[in-house]
Amino acid sequence: MANPKGPVLVVDFGAQYAQLIARRVREAQVYSEVVPHTANVDDLLAKDPAAILLSGGPSSVYEEGAPSIDPALFAAGVPVFGMCYGFQLMARALGGTVENTGGREFGRTELTVTGEGGVLHGGLPAHHPVWMSHNDGVTKAPEGATVTASSAGADVAGFEDVERRFAGVQYHPEVAHSPHGQEVLRRFLHDIAGIKPQWTTTSIVDEQVTKIRQQVGEGRAICGLSGGVDSAVAAALVQRAIGDRLTCVFVDHGLLRAGERAQVERDFVAATGVNLVTVDARQRFLDALNGVSDPEEKRKIIGREFIRVFEQAERDLKAQGDYRFLVQGTLYPDVVESGGGSGTSNIKSHHNVGGLPEDLAFDLVEPLRLLFKDEVRRVGLELGLPETIVHRQPFPGPGLGIRIIGEVTADRLETLRAADAIAREELTAAGLDRDIWQCPVVLLADVRSVGVQGDGRTYGHPVVLRPVSSEDAMTADWTRLPYDVLERISTRITNEVAEVNRVTLDVTSKPPGTIEWE
Protein backbone atom coordinates (compact mmCIF):
# COMPACT_ATOMS: atom_id res chain seq x y z
CA MET A 1 0.00 0.00 0.00
CA ALA A 2 1.07 3.63 -0.46
CA ASN A 3 1.27 6.19 2.32
CA PRO A 4 -1.84 6.75 4.47
CA LYS A 5 -2.13 10.13 2.75
CA GLY A 6 -1.39 10.74 -0.91
CA PRO A 7 2.01 10.73 -2.58
CA VAL A 8 4.97 12.96 -1.97
CA LEU A 9 4.80 15.43 -4.84
CA VAL A 10 7.97 16.64 -6.55
CA VAL A 11 7.18 20.00 -8.15
CA ASP A 12 9.34 20.27 -11.27
CA PHE A 13 10.72 23.77 -11.89
CA GLY A 14 12.62 22.64 -14.98
CA ALA A 15 15.26 20.68 -13.11
CA GLN A 16 17.42 18.19 -14.95
CA TYR A 17 17.02 15.82 -12.01
CA ALA A 18 13.31 16.06 -11.13
CA GLN A 19 12.72 12.38 -11.87
CA LEU A 20 15.85 11.50 -9.93
CA ILE A 21 14.41 13.28 -6.90
CA ALA A 22 11.30 11.12 -7.17
CA ARG A 23 13.48 8.01 -7.31
CA ARG A 24 15.41 9.08 -4.22
CA VAL A 25 12.17 9.58 -2.32
CA ARG A 26 11.09 6.08 -3.30
CA GLU A 27 14.45 4.73 -2.16
CA ALA A 28 13.44 6.06 1.25
CA GLN A 29 10.40 3.75 0.89
CA VAL A 30 7.98 6.61 0.29
CA TYR A 31 5.86 6.83 -2.86
CA SER A 32 6.38 9.95 -4.99
CA GLU A 33 5.21 11.53 -8.22
CA VAL A 34 6.48 14.43 -10.35
CA VAL A 35 4.08 17.29 -11.11
CA PRO A 36 4.61 20.43 -13.22
CA HIS A 37 5.22 23.80 -11.58
CA THR A 38 2.21 25.10 -13.51
CA ALA A 39 -0.13 23.15 -11.23
CA ASN A 40 -1.86 25.52 -8.83
CA VAL A 41 -2.02 25.00 -5.10
CA ASP A 42 -5.57 23.63 -5.25
CA ASP A 43 -4.42 21.00 -7.77
CA LEU A 44 -1.55 19.98 -5.51
CA LEU A 45 -3.65 19.82 -2.36
CA ALA A 46 -6.36 17.83 -4.17
CA LYS A 47 -3.88 14.94 -4.24
CA ASP A 48 -3.75 15.04 -0.42
CA PRO A 49 0.07 15.01 -0.51
CA ALA A 50 2.07 13.55 2.35
CA ALA A 51 4.68 16.21 1.57
CA ILE A 52 5.76 18.51 -1.25
CA LEU A 53 9.32 18.81 -2.59
CA LEU A 54 10.32 21.85 -4.64
CA SER A 55 12.96 20.95 -7.23
CA GLY A 56 15.83 22.96 -8.58
CA GLY A 57 15.67 24.81 -11.86
CA PRO A 58 17.66 27.01 -14.24
CA SER A 59 15.87 30.30 -13.47
CA SER A 60 16.50 33.10 -11.01
CA VAL A 61 13.71 33.88 -8.59
CA TYR A 62 13.98 37.54 -9.66
CA GLU A 63 13.66 36.95 -13.41
CA GLU A 64 10.52 38.21 -15.08
CA GLY A 65 8.33 35.22 -15.87
CA ALA A 66 10.38 32.86 -13.71
CA PRO A 67 8.44 29.92 -12.21
CA SER A 68 6.98 30.84 -8.84
CA ILE A 69 5.14 29.23 -5.96
CA ASP A 70 1.92 30.45 -4.35
CA PRO A 71 2.62 31.41 -0.71
CA ALA A 72 -0.74 29.81 0.12
CA LEU A 73 1.04 26.45 -0.12
CA PHE A 74 2.86 27.19 3.12
CA ALA A 75 -0.38 27.84 4.96
CA ALA A 76 -1.89 24.49 4.02
CA GLY A 77 -0.26 22.45 6.78
CA VAL A 78 1.66 20.23 4.34
CA PRO A 79 5.37 19.51 4.97
CA VAL A 80 7.54 21.23 2.33
CA PHE A 81 11.18 20.70 1.38
CA GLY A 82 13.01 22.95 -1.08
CA MET A 83 16.27 22.36 -2.91
CA CYS A 84 18.38 24.75 -4.99
CA TYR A 85 15.88 26.98 -6.88
CA GLY A 86 13.02 25.52 -4.84
CA PHE A 87 14.93 26.37 -1.67
CA GLN A 88 15.21 30.00 -2.73
CA LEU A 89 11.53 30.20 -3.72
CA MET A 90 10.60 28.74 -0.36
CA ALA A 91 12.85 31.12 1.60
CA ARG A 92 11.47 34.12 -0.24
CA ALA A 93 7.80 33.05 0.16
CA LEU A 94 8.34 32.59 3.91
CA GLY A 95 9.83 36.05 4.39
CA GLY A 96 13.53 35.27 4.01
CA THR A 97 15.94 37.14 1.76
CA VAL A 98 17.36 35.91 -1.57
CA GLU A 99 20.07 37.98 -3.27
CA ASN A 100 22.63 37.81 -6.03
CA THR A 101 25.66 37.85 -3.77
CA GLY A 102 28.27 37.21 -6.45
CA GLY A 103 29.13 33.98 -4.64
CA ARG A 104 28.40 31.58 -7.49
CA GLU A 105 28.93 27.89 -6.77
CA PHE A 106 28.83 25.12 -9.37
CA GLY A 107 29.82 21.52 -8.87
CA ARG A 108 31.60 20.01 -5.88
CA THR A 109 31.44 22.38 -2.91
CA GLU A 110 32.33 22.02 0.75
CA LEU A 111 29.37 22.33 3.09
CA THR A 112 29.85 23.46 6.69
CA VAL A 113 27.39 22.22 9.30
CA THR A 114 26.15 25.11 11.45
CA GLY A 115 25.87 24.60 15.21
CA GLU A 116 24.40 21.20 16.04
CA GLY A 117 23.09 20.83 12.47
CA GLY A 118 19.46 20.35 13.47
CA VAL A 119 17.51 17.36 12.19
CA LEU A 120 18.80 17.63 8.63
CA HIS A 121 22.55 17.82 9.26
CA GLY A 122 23.02 16.79 12.88
CA GLY A 123 25.66 14.10 13.33
CA LEU A 124 27.01 14.48 9.78
CA PRO A 125 30.67 15.45 9.26
CA ALA A 126 31.25 19.09 10.16
CA HIS A 127 32.60 19.63 6.63
CA HIS A 128 31.50 17.43 3.73
CA PRO A 129 31.08 17.75 -0.05
CA VAL A 130 27.79 18.58 -1.77
CA TRP A 131 26.82 19.39 -5.35
CA MET A 132 25.93 23.05 -5.88
CA SER A 133 24.52 24.91 -8.89
CA HIS A 134 23.49 28.48 -8.08
CA ASN A 135 24.13 32.17 -8.70
CA ASP A 136 21.70 33.64 -6.15
CA GLY A 137 21.78 32.72 -2.49
CA VAL A 138 19.65 32.90 0.64
CA THR A 139 21.21 35.57 2.85
CA LYS A 140 18.56 35.59 5.57
CA ALA A 141 16.51 32.59 6.69
CA PRO A 142 12.75 32.96 7.27
CA GLU A 143 11.56 33.94 10.72
CA GLY A 144 11.44 30.89 13.00
CA ALA A 145 13.77 28.80 10.83
CA THR A 146 17.09 27.44 12.12
CA VAL A 147 20.12 27.63 9.82
CA THR A 148 21.75 24.18 9.67
CA ALA A 149 24.48 24.63 7.04
CA SER A 150 26.48 27.15 5.06
CA SER A 151 29.12 27.27 2.33
CA ALA A 152 31.63 29.78 0.99
CA GLY A 153 29.06 31.13 -1.46
CA ALA A 154 25.89 30.62 0.58
CA ASP A 155 25.53 31.97 4.10
CA VAL A 156 22.32 29.94 4.39
CA ALA A 157 22.82 26.58 2.65
CA GLY A 158 20.23 24.81 4.75
CA PHE A 159 17.47 25.69 7.18
CA GLU A 160 14.59 23.96 8.92
CA ASP A 161 11.44 24.87 10.84
CA VAL A 162 10.57 21.58 12.51
CA GLU A 163 7.39 22.89 14.15
CA ARG A 164 5.87 23.90 10.79
CA ARG A 165 7.59 20.95 9.04
CA PHE A 166 9.46 23.13 6.53
CA ALA A 167 13.07 22.54 5.51
CA GLY A 168 15.40 22.96 2.58
CA VAL A 169 18.96 23.02 1.24
CA GLN A 170 20.75 25.10 -1.36
CA TYR A 171 22.50 22.06 -2.84
CA HIS A 172 21.29 19.00 -4.76
CA PRO A 173 20.85 16.15 -2.23
CA GLU A 174 19.49 13.81 -4.91
CA VAL A 175 22.75 13.37 -6.86
CA ALA A 176 25.52 10.92 -6.01
CA HIS A 177 27.97 13.85 -5.77
CA SER A 178 26.25 14.79 -2.48
CA PRO A 179 27.23 11.66 -0.51
CA HIS A 180 25.04 12.50 2.52
CA GLY A 181 22.17 13.84 0.43
CA GLN A 182 20.05 10.71 0.62
CA GLU A 183 20.30 10.73 4.41
CA VAL A 184 19.20 14.39 4.46
CA LEU A 185 16.18 13.55 2.29
CA ARG A 186 15.37 10.56 4.47
CA ARG A 187 15.49 12.69 7.61
CA PHE A 188 13.09 15.21 6.14
CA LEU A 189 10.63 12.55 4.97
CA HIS A 190 10.70 10.33 8.04
CA ASP A 191 11.68 12.65 10.91
CA ILE A 192 10.32 16.08 9.94
CA ALA A 193 7.37 15.19 7.67
CA GLY A 194 6.58 12.09 9.75
CA ILE A 195 5.95 9.78 6.80
CA LYS A 196 6.18 6.07 7.47
CA PRO A 197 8.42 4.05 5.09
CA GLN A 198 5.83 1.76 3.49
CA TRP A 199 6.69 1.81 -0.24
CA THR A 200 8.21 -1.68 -0.66
CA THR A 201 8.31 -4.25 -3.42
CA THR A 202 5.68 -6.33 -1.65
CA SER A 203 3.41 -3.31 -1.25
CA ILE A 204 3.80 -2.43 -4.95
CA VAL A 205 2.77 -5.94 -6.00
CA ASP A 206 -0.19 -6.05 -3.62
CA GLU A 207 -1.41 -2.60 -4.63
CA GLN A 208 -1.12 -3.23 -8.37
CA VAL A 209 -2.82 -6.64 -8.16
CA THR A 210 -5.75 -4.98 -6.39
CA LYS A 211 -5.95 -2.19 -8.99
CA ILE A 212 -5.81 -4.66 -11.88
CA ARG A 213 -8.63 -6.71 -10.42
CA GLN A 214 -10.72 -3.58 -9.96
CA GLN A 215 -10.09 -2.44 -13.53
CA VAL A 216 -10.49 -5.75 -15.34
CA GLY A 217 -13.18 -7.28 -13.15
CA GLU A 218 -14.27 -10.55 -14.72
CA GLY A 219 -12.97 -9.52 -18.13
CA ARG A 220 -10.12 -10.92 -20.17
CA ALA A 221 -6.85 -9.25 -21.12
CA ILE A 222 -4.33 -9.62 -23.88
CA CYS A 223 -0.67 -8.66 -23.47
CA GLY A 224 1.84 -7.91 -26.17
CA LEU A 225 4.88 -9.74 -24.89
CA SER A 226 8.13 -8.42 -26.34
CA GLY A 227 10.58 -10.53 -24.37
CA GLY A 228 11.82 -7.49 -22.45
CA VAL A 229 11.62 -7.04 -18.72
CA ASP A 230 8.86 -4.40 -18.88
CA SER A 231 6.27 -6.42 -20.75
CA ALA A 232 7.29 -9.59 -18.89
CA VAL A 233 6.75 -8.03 -15.45
CA ALA A 234 3.53 -6.36 -16.56
CA ALA A 235 2.24 -9.71 -17.81
CA ALA A 236 3.30 -11.51 -14.63
CA LEU A 237 1.50 -8.91 -12.49
CA VAL A 238 -1.69 -9.17 -14.51
CA GLN A 239 -1.54 -12.96 -14.46
CA ARG A 240 -1.25 -12.90 -10.67
CA ALA A 241 -4.35 -10.70 -10.61
CA ILE A 242 -6.60 -12.50 -13.11
CA GLY A 243 -4.94 -15.86 -13.78
CA ASP A 244 -5.73 -17.64 -17.02
CA ARG A 245 -7.98 -14.81 -18.20
CA LEU A 246 -4.75 -13.29 -19.50
CA THR A 247 -3.37 -14.40 -22.85
CA CYS A 248 0.04 -13.17 -23.97
CA VAL A 249 0.66 -12.59 -27.65
CA PHE A 250 4.26 -12.61 -28.77
CA VAL A 251 4.61 -10.86 -32.10
CA ASP A 252 7.66 -11.85 -34.09
CA HIS A 253 7.85 -8.66 -36.14
CA GLY A 254 11.27 -9.50 -37.51
CA LEU A 255 12.79 -6.58 -35.59
CA LEU A 256 14.04 -8.76 -32.74
CA ARG A 257 17.59 -9.58 -31.76
CA ALA A 258 19.07 -13.03 -32.31
CA GLY A 259 17.50 -15.76 -30.14
CA GLU A 260 14.79 -13.59 -28.56
CA ARG A 261 11.81 -15.52 -29.84
CA ALA A 262 13.17 -18.79 -28.46
CA GLN A 263 13.95 -17.17 -25.11
CA VAL A 264 10.41 -15.87 -24.70
CA GLU A 265 8.79 -19.12 -25.71
CA ARG A 266 11.08 -21.09 -23.39
CA ASP A 267 12.01 -19.01 -20.33
CA PHE A 268 8.94 -16.87 -19.74
CA VAL A 269 6.43 -19.64 -20.25
CA ALA A 270 8.44 -21.96 -18.01
CA ALA A 271 8.54 -19.34 -15.24
CA THR A 272 4.88 -18.30 -15.34
CA GLY A 273 2.88 -20.96 -17.14
CA VAL A 274 1.10 -18.15 -18.98
CA ASN A 275 -1.06 -18.76 -22.04
CA LEU A 276 1.15 -17.73 -24.98
CA VAL A 277 0.26 -17.28 -28.63
CA THR A 278 3.09 -16.56 -31.10
CA VAL A 279 2.26 -14.61 -34.25
CA ASP A 280 4.71 -14.59 -37.14
CA ALA A 281 4.27 -11.11 -38.60
CA ARG A 282 7.74 -10.56 -40.04
CA GLN A 283 6.66 -9.96 -43.60
CA ARG A 284 3.76 -7.73 -42.54
CA PHE A 285 6.09 -5.32 -40.72
CA LEU A 286 8.66 -5.32 -43.50
CA ASP A 287 5.97 -4.46 -46.03
CA ALA A 288 4.64 -1.65 -43.82
CA LEU A 289 8.13 -0.20 -43.37
CA ASN A 290 9.07 -0.45 -47.03
CA GLY A 291 10.63 2.80 -48.23
CA VAL A 292 10.30 4.58 -44.84
CA SER A 293 13.40 6.24 -43.39
CA ASP A 294 11.97 8.89 -41.05
CA PRO A 295 12.38 7.66 -37.44
CA GLU A 296 9.12 9.09 -36.11
CA GLU A 297 7.21 7.57 -39.00
CA LYS A 298 8.88 4.21 -38.39
CA ARG A 299 7.85 4.31 -34.72
CA LYS A 300 4.26 5.14 -35.60
CA ILE A 301 4.06 2.41 -38.22
CA ILE A 302 5.47 -0.20 -35.85
CA GLY A 303 3.09 0.90 -33.07
CA ARG A 304 0.13 0.81 -35.45
CA GLU A 305 0.97 -2.62 -36.79
CA PHE A 306 1.41 -3.98 -33.26
CA ILE A 307 -2.09 -2.89 -32.37
CA ARG A 308 -3.56 -4.30 -35.58
CA VAL A 309 -1.88 -7.64 -34.91
CA PHE A 310 -3.25 -7.64 -31.36
CA GLU A 311 -6.72 -6.87 -32.67
CA GLN A 312 -6.49 -9.79 -35.09
CA ALA A 313 -5.26 -12.04 -32.29
CA GLU A 314 -8.20 -10.88 -30.17
CA ARG A 315 -10.62 -11.79 -32.94
CA ASP A 316 -8.99 -15.20 -33.20
CA LEU A 317 -9.43 -15.68 -29.45
CA LYS A 318 -13.13 -14.70 -29.43
CA ALA A 319 -14.14 -18.27 -28.73
CA GLN A 320 -12.60 -17.97 -25.26
CA GLY A 321 -14.36 -14.71 -24.40
CA ASP A 322 -14.18 -10.98 -24.91
CA TYR A 323 -10.64 -9.63 -24.66
CA ARG A 324 -11.36 -5.95 -24.01
CA PHE A 325 -8.13 -5.05 -22.15
CA LEU A 326 -4.62 -4.57 -23.56
CA VAL A 327 -1.67 -4.86 -21.15
CA GLN A 328 1.37 -2.68 -21.81
CA GLY A 329 4.69 -2.36 -20.00
CA THR A 330 4.72 1.44 -19.96
CA LEU A 331 7.18 2.85 -17.40
CA TYR A 332 7.37 6.25 -15.71
CA PRO A 333 10.27 7.46 -17.91
CA ASP A 334 8.15 6.54 -20.97
CA VAL A 335 5.35 8.71 -19.63
CA VAL A 336 7.64 11.64 -18.79
CA GLU A 337 9.62 11.55 -22.05
CA SER A 338 6.43 11.34 -24.09
CA GLY A 339 5.18 14.60 -22.63
CA GLY A 340 3.18 13.22 -19.72
CA GLY A 341 3.63 13.37 -16.01
CA SER A 342 5.47 16.65 -15.65
CA GLY A 343 4.55 18.90 -18.53
CA THR A 344 7.78 18.17 -20.39
CA SER A 345 8.24 18.24 -24.14
CA ASN A 346 7.88 15.14 -26.25
CA ILE A 347 11.35 13.57 -26.44
CA LYS A 348 10.17 10.33 -28.00
CA SER A 349 6.93 8.99 -29.39
CA HIS A 350 7.35 5.59 -27.78
CA HIS A 351 4.66 3.26 -29.03
CA ASN A 352 3.74 2.38 -25.45
CA VAL A 353 2.64 5.96 -24.87
CA GLY A 354 2.34 7.84 -28.14
CA GLY A 355 1.37 6.84 -31.65
CA LEU A 356 -1.53 4.54 -30.73
CA PRO A 357 -4.36 4.49 -33.28
CA GLU A 358 -7.29 6.75 -32.43
CA ASP A 359 -9.69 3.86 -33.02
CA LEU A 360 -7.95 1.64 -30.46
CA ALA A 361 -10.38 -1.15 -29.60
CA PHE A 362 -8.88 -1.88 -26.16
CA ASP A 363 -8.83 -0.37 -22.71
CA LEU A 364 -5.19 -0.07 -21.62
CA VAL A 365 -3.88 -1.77 -18.49
CA GLU A 366 -0.51 -0.27 -17.52
CA PRO A 367 0.48 -1.63 -14.09
CA LEU A 368 4.06 -0.27 -14.33
CA ARG A 369 3.14 3.22 -15.45
CA LEU A 370 4.41 4.89 -12.25
CA LEU A 371 7.53 2.74 -11.77
CA PHE A 372 11.17 3.23 -12.68
CA LYS A 373 13.20 0.43 -14.23
CA ASP A 374 15.00 -0.56 -11.04
CA GLU A 375 11.63 -0.89 -9.28
CA VAL A 376 10.32 -3.01 -12.16
CA ARG A 377 13.27 -5.38 -11.83
CA ARG A 378 12.64 -5.79 -8.09
CA VAL A 379 8.96 -6.48 -8.75
CA GLY A 380 9.94 -9.09 -11.35
CA LEU A 381 12.09 -10.92 -8.81
CA GLU A 382 9.28 -10.70 -6.26
CA LEU A 383 7.01 -12.36 -8.82
CA GLY A 384 9.49 -15.19 -9.38
CA LEU A 385 10.72 -14.30 -12.86
CA PRO A 386 14.17 -15.67 -13.75
CA GLU A 387 17.29 -13.50 -13.72
CA THR A 388 17.68 -13.96 -17.49
CA ILE A 389 14.50 -11.96 -17.98
CA VAL A 390 14.65 -9.55 -15.04
CA HIS A 391 18.19 -8.34 -15.75
CA ARG A 392 17.96 -8.41 -19.51
CA GLN A 393 19.21 -5.24 -21.17
CA PRO A 394 16.40 -2.78 -22.00
CA PHE A 395 15.24 -3.07 -25.58
CA PRO A 396 12.95 -0.53 -27.29
CA GLY A 397 9.45 -1.54 -28.32
CA PRO A 398 10.15 -0.75 -32.00
CA GLY A 399 13.14 -3.08 -31.79
CA LEU A 400 15.94 -3.01 -34.35
CA GLY A 401 13.72 -0.89 -36.58
CA ILE A 402 14.97 2.25 -34.81
CA ARG A 403 18.58 1.07 -34.65
CA ILE A 404 18.84 1.13 -38.43
CA ILE A 405 19.46 4.69 -39.61
CA GLY A 406 17.58 4.62 -42.87
CA GLU A 407 15.10 2.25 -44.48
CA VAL A 408 14.48 -1.08 -42.77
CA THR A 409 15.07 -4.09 -45.04
CA ALA A 410 15.49 -7.80 -44.43
CA ASP A 411 19.19 -7.68 -45.38
CA ARG A 412 19.91 -4.73 -43.13
CA LEU A 413 18.14 -6.42 -40.23
CA GLU A 414 20.28 -9.54 -40.65
CA THR A 415 23.42 -7.41 -40.74
CA LEU A 416 22.49 -5.54 -37.54
CA ARG A 417 21.28 -8.71 -35.83
CA ALA A 418 24.65 -10.39 -36.44
CA ALA A 419 26.65 -7.38 -35.20
CA ASP A 420 24.44 -7.00 -32.13
CA ALA A 421 24.79 -10.68 -31.23
CA ILE A 422 28.58 -10.41 -31.31
CA ALA A 423 28.59 -7.34 -29.05
CA ARG A 424 26.29 -9.02 -26.54
CA GLU A 425 28.32 -12.25 -26.56
CA GLU A 426 31.58 -10.42 -25.86
CA LEU A 427 30.10 -8.24 -23.10
CA THR A 428 28.71 -11.35 -21.41
CA ALA A 429 31.99 -13.22 -21.78
CA ALA A 430 33.80 -10.27 -20.17
CA GLY A 431 31.38 -10.27 -17.22
CA LEU A 432 30.19 -6.75 -17.99
CA ASP A 433 26.44 -7.31 -18.29
CA ARG A 434 25.72 -5.78 -14.88
CA ASP A 435 28.18 -2.89 -15.39
CA ILE A 436 26.25 -1.37 -18.25
CA TRP A 437 22.61 -0.32 -18.62
CA GLN A 438 22.50 -1.37 -22.24
CA CYS A 439 24.62 -1.36 -25.37
CA PRO A 440 22.61 -0.54 -28.48
CA VAL A 441 24.35 -1.37 -31.74
CA VAL A 442 23.34 1.07 -34.48
CA LEU A 443 23.64 0.38 -38.20
CA LEU A 444 24.31 3.48 -40.32
CA ALA A 445 22.55 1.96 -43.30
CA ASP A 446 22.52 5.14 -45.37
CA VAL A 447 26.27 5.66 -44.90
CA ARG A 448 29.10 3.89 -46.73
CA SER A 449 32.68 3.99 -45.50
CA VAL A 450 35.84 3.00 -47.32
CA GLY A 451 37.69 -0.02 -46.00
CA VAL A 452 40.46 -2.42 -46.92
CA GLN A 453 39.61 -6.09 -46.55
CA GLY A 454 41.26 -9.00 -48.34
CA ASP A 455 43.76 -6.71 -50.09
CA GLY A 456 40.90 -4.83 -51.72
CA ARG A 457 38.89 -1.69 -51.15
CA THR A 458 35.44 -2.12 -49.70
CA TYR A 459 32.47 0.18 -49.26
CA GLY A 460 30.74 -1.21 -46.25
CA HIS A 461 28.44 0.11 -43.54
CA PRO A 462 29.67 1.53 -40.23
CA VAL A 463 28.10 0.37 -36.98
CA VAL A 464 28.07 2.33 -33.74
CA LEU A 465 28.47 0.84 -30.27
CA ARG A 466 26.49 2.80 -27.67
CA PRO A 467 27.35 1.36 -24.22
CA VAL A 468 25.72 3.43 -21.48
CA SER A 469 25.46 3.36 -17.71
CA SER A 470 22.32 4.58 -16.00
CA GLU A 471 19.97 3.99 -13.10
CA ASP A 472 16.66 4.72 -14.79
CA ALA A 473 17.41 5.98 -18.35
CA MET A 474 16.43 9.54 -17.45
CA THR A 475 20.14 10.41 -17.49
CA ALA A 476 23.03 8.27 -18.71
CA ASP A 477 26.76 8.32 -19.28
CA TRP A 478 28.74 6.34 -21.80
CA THR A 479 30.39 3.27 -20.26
CA ARG A 480 34.18 3.13 -20.28
CA LEU A 481 34.53 -0.41 -21.62
CA PRO A 482 38.00 -2.00 -21.46
CA TYR A 483 39.96 -1.51 -24.66
CA ASP A 484 40.55 -5.24 -25.09
CA VAL A 485 36.79 -5.88 -25.03
CA LEU A 486 36.19 -3.14 -27.58
CA GLU A 487 38.97 -4.60 -29.73
CA ARG A 488 37.42 -8.09 -29.68
CA ILE A 489 33.99 -6.72 -30.56
CA SER A 490 35.37 -4.64 -33.42
CA THR A 491 37.56 -7.43 -34.80
CA ARG A 492 34.79 -10.01 -34.70
CA ILE A 493 32.19 -7.74 -36.29
CA THR A 494 34.43 -6.67 -39.15
CA ASN A 495 35.60 -10.27 -39.69
CA GLU A 496 32.27 -12.03 -39.33
CA VAL A 497 29.74 -9.52 -40.70
CA ALA A 498 30.63 -9.03 -44.34
CA GLU A 499 28.58 -5.87 -44.83
CA VAL A 500 30.34 -3.98 -42.01
CA ASN A 501 33.85 -2.58 -42.36
CA ARG A 502 33.99 -0.01 -39.58
CA VAL A 503 33.06 -0.04 -35.86
CA THR A 504 32.74 3.26 -33.99
CA LEU A 505 32.07 4.17 -30.34
CA ASP A 506 29.47 6.73 -29.20
CA VAL A 507 30.84 8.67 -26.20
CA THR A 508 27.90 11.06 -25.73
CA SER A 509 26.14 11.36 -22.39
CA LYS A 510 22.38 11.87 -21.88
CA PRO A 511 21.76 14.75 -21.99
CA PRO A 512 22.53 15.99 -24.58
CA GLY A 513 22.08 12.78 -26.57
CA THR A 514 19.33 10.22 -26.08
CA ILE A 515 20.28 6.56 -25.52
CA GLU A 516 18.73 5.43 -28.80
CA TRP A 517 19.79 7.19 -31.98
CA GLU A 518 16.25 7.39 -33.36
Side-chain angles (χ1 to χ4, degrees):
M1 59 182 290
N3 294 299
K5 301 189 74 173
V8 167
L9 298 180
V10 177
V11 181
D12 183 2
F13 289 100
Q16 179 181 345
Y17 303 119
Q19 286 75 42
L20 181 57
I21 297 170
R23 285 191 70 255
R24 297 302 185 223
V25 174
R26 295 181 187 198
E27 287 174 8
Q29 297 185 324
V30 176
Y31 177 63
S32 62
E33 295 178 11
V34 179
V35 295
H37 67 81
T38 52
N40 60 45
V41 170
D42 289 339
D43 293 335
L44 299 180
L45 298 181
K47 292 179 176 285
D48 193 23
I52 292 177
L53 273 59
L54 309 178
S55 85
S59 303
S60 167
V61 294
Y62 295 111
E63 286 179 1
E64 183 177 352
S68 61
I69 193 73
D70 189 337
L73 173 66
F74 302 100
V78 177
V80 181
F81 184 84
M83 55 194 78
C84 194
Y85 181 78
F87 175 66
Q88 296 171 8
L89 280 179
M90 181 180 184
R92 195 178 187 204
L94 291 172
T97 303
V98 180
E99 299 177 288
N100 189 332
T101 63
R104 299 169 29 142
E105 291 177 315
F106 293 93
R108 182 184 174 91
T109 304
E110 184 176 88
L111 188 79
T112 299
V113 175
T114 302
E116 297 297 319
V119 176
L120 290 184
H121 297 102
L124 299 182
H127 303 278
H128 61 266
V130 296
W131 195 255
M132 289 281 198
S133 181
H134 69 99
N135 286 304
D136 299 335
V138 178
T139 56
K140 180 177 178 294
E143 190 71 29
T146 300
V147 177
T148 63
S150 65
S151 70
D155 293 339
V156 181
F159 67 68
E160 61 189 50
D161 184 333
V162 176
E163 183 176 344
R164 291 194 290 173
R165 298 188 295 174
F166 297 152
V169 295
Q170 179 60 67
Y171 57 89
H172 287 275
E174 72 276 18
V175 301
H177 303 293
S178 298
H180 299 287
Q182 182 64 18
E183 174 62 15
V184 169
L185 277 175
R186 188 203 66 77
R187 291 180 181 188
F188 169 76
L189 295 166
H190 297 173
D191 302 334
I192 295 179
I195 304 171
K196 295 181 180 179
Q198 297 177 322
W199 177 250
T200 65
T201 304
T202 300
S203 74
I204 294 171
V205 171
D206 292 344
E207 182 173 309
Q208 289 306 317
V209 165
T210 298
K211 287 183 176 180
I212 294 164
R213 287 172 177 166
Q214 290 173 345
Q215 180 182 2
V216 178
E218 295 301 315
R220 291 178 176 270
I222 187 172
C223 177
L225 198 64
S226 69
V229 61
D230 303 339
S231 64
V233 174
L237 264 175
V238 174
Q239 188 194 33
R240 176 164 292 192
I242 67 173
D244 61 7
R245 288 183 287 121
L246 169 71
T247 296
C248 289
V249 175
F250 176 70
V251 178
D252 185 352
H253 50 26
L255 308 175
L256 301 169
R257 296 181 294 185
E260 291 189 307
R261 175 170 174 170
Q263 184 186 50
V264 170
E265 293 177 330
R266 180 188 65 243
D267 295 348
F268 185 74
V269 173
T272 63
V274 73
N275 299 324
L276 179 67
V277 174
T278 299
V279 178
D280 189 338
R282 289 174 291 182
Q283 193 59 50
R284 173 177 183 151
F285 278 80
L286 275 176
D287 291 344
L289 292 167
N290 183 43
V292 178
S293 296
D294 179 76
E296 289 300 305
E297 187 63 21
K298 285 194 287 187
R299 285 181 178 272
K300 290 177 181 177
I301 289 171
I302 294 167
R304 181 195 70 210
E305 293 303 314
F306 258 116
I307 296 303
R308 297 308 176 219
V309 170
F310 292 151
E311 289 173 342
Q312 182 59 52
E314 190 269 344
R315 288 191 289 270
D316 294 341
L317 292 167
K318 276 290 188 182
Q320 299 179 22
D322 184 16
Y323 285 81
R324 186 164 62 89
F325 297 93
L326 173 64
V327 180
Q328 289 205 122
T330 308
L331 304 191
Y332 200 37
D334 295 331
V335 176
V336 172
E337 293 197 349
S338 298
S342 64
T344 59
S345 61
N346 190 328
I347 297 173
K348 63 178 181 180
S349 56
H350 193 289
H351 78 262
N352 277 6
V353 183
L356 293 176
E358 293 182 2
D359 59 343
L360 182 67
F362 298 101
D363 292 333
L364 293 180
V365 178
E366 298 175 303
L368 311 179
R369 187 177 177 86
L370 294 178
L371 300 184
F372 290 97
K373 180 73 77 172
D374 58 327
E375 294 171 324
V376 172
R377 294 192 196 281
R378 291 198 297 269
V379 168
L381 293 174
E382 177 82 9
L383 293 168
L385 294 180
E387 293 267 347
T388 53
I389 291 177
V390 171
H391 289 290
R392 180 179 181 268
Q393 283 188 20
F395 190 56
L400 298 181
I402 59 167
R403 292 183 178 175
I404 294 176
I405 309 303
E407 181 185 357
V408 178
T409 68
D411 288 344
R412 290 175 173 181
L413 282 166
E414 286 307 311
T415 296
L416 178 54
R417 194 173 285 121
D420 175 86
I422 290 170
R424 287 191 292 143
E425 286 171 10
E426 291 299 334
L427 290 172
T428 299
L432 295 171
D433 286 340
R434 295 291 185 89
D435 294 334
I436 63 172
W437 174 261
Q438 64 185 114
C439 184
V441 179
V442 181
L443 175 65
L444 305 185
D446 286 348
V447 176
R448 292 279 182 174
S449 65
V450 177
V452 178
Q453 292 171 298
D455 296 325
R457 290 168 66 86
T458 61
Y459 293 91
H461 296 294
V463 296
V464 182
L465 303 180
R466 175 74 166 128
V468 294
S469 301
S470 180
E471 291 184 328
D472 52 32
M474 299 305 301
T475 60
D477 193 15
W478 66 280
T479 307
R480 278 66 169 173
L481 295 178
Y483 288 157
D484 59 331
V485 175
L486 290 171
E487 180 183 23
R488 286 197 299 273
I489 293 174
S490 177
T491 300
R492 284 194 59 194
I493 289 176
T494 53
N495 283 348
E496 299 174 31
V497 185
E499 296 79 7
V500 176
N501 67 354
R502 193 177 297 269
V503 177
T504 65
L505 180 66
D506 184 344
V507 295
T508 312
S509 63
K510 175 187 179 183
T514 55
I515 292 176
E516 298 291 345
W517 272 46
E518 289 198 341

